[in-house]
Amino acid sequence: MREPASDPARLDELERRMTALEQRMSLLTPAEIKLVRGDRLFTALVGDVATATGVPANKLVGAGRDRATARARHLLCWLARSALQMSFPDIGEALGGRDHTTVLMSVRAADRLRDDEEFRALADDLLARAQARKNATTGRSE
């Protein structure tokens, strides 16, 4: 258990950290704020895809349409559907308010991209990681 923050130096440090966090949060868009505050499993999945693909998380949930971003977003949608069993509307909402049919098309595109061995290996690795995280969070082992 943590000790109460009655030490003035500790209070100052906590205040500095809170101010820094508030400044960072002010730079985020509403969609990014929702992502930060939203489902932890989905947020972790966004981080995994961003790290694995080199596409920043804010581009994954933003409006970017370049090839690398689109492929990474297809992968993210496919993983959210496959690993987290999220609905198409929920995935769309988490990605900044996209329509569920856009998410459906993205999942189908990822299915086609899985014909590529490199994409499939990446997808399978991230899927296993996401499923393990979900099982650890829910206390299930499969």
Side-chain angles (χ1 to χ4, degrees):
M1 187 166 159
R2 292 189 138 177
E3 298 212 10
S6 57
D7 176 27
R10 176 127 170 87
L11 287 172
D12 288 343
E13 174 62 22
L14 289 173
E15 178 129 352
R16 277 193 297 279
R17 287 183 180 185
M18 190 65 147
T19 301
L21 181 60
E22 287 170 350
Q23 287 173 344
R24 280 187 252 156
M25 290 291 287
S26 71
L27 299 174
L28 298 175
T29 66
E32 292 167 330
I33 291 171
K34 182 169 185 172
L35 179 63
V36 169
R37 293 181 178 157
D39 185 295
R40 290 181 189 269
L41 291 173
F42 184 79
T43 303
L45 192 59
V46 170
D48 288 347
V49 171
T51 300
T53 63
V55 175
N58 64 338
K59 284 187 79 177
L60 287 172
V61 300
R65 292 170 56 137
D66 60 276
R67 184 181 177 108
T69 301
R71 286 174 62 99
R73 195 177 296 125
H74 294 330
L75 176 60
L76 177 59
C77 289
W78 183 85
L79 289 166
R81 184 74 175 162
S82 300
L84 305 181
Q85 289 79 44
M86 290 177 68
S87 70
F88 294 123
D90 287 347
I91 297 168
E93 184 63 30
L95 291 175
R98 285 180 169 75
D99 187 75
H100 74 280
T101 58
T102 301
V103 176
L104 173 63
M105 296 307 292
S106 193
V107 169
R108 287 180 179 168
D111 281 332
R112 288 189 303 275
L113 287 169
R114 286 177 53 80
D115 290 340
D116 175 62
E117 285 184 39
E118 188 176 329
F119 186 90
R120 184 181 326 113
L122 176 62
D124 290 346
D125 177 55
L126 291 172
L127 178 62
R129 224 184 294 176
Q131 288 173 331
R133 184 180 291 119
K134 181 179 179 186
N135 291 339
T137 302
T138 60
R140 293 184 357 210
S141 60
E142 292 181 31

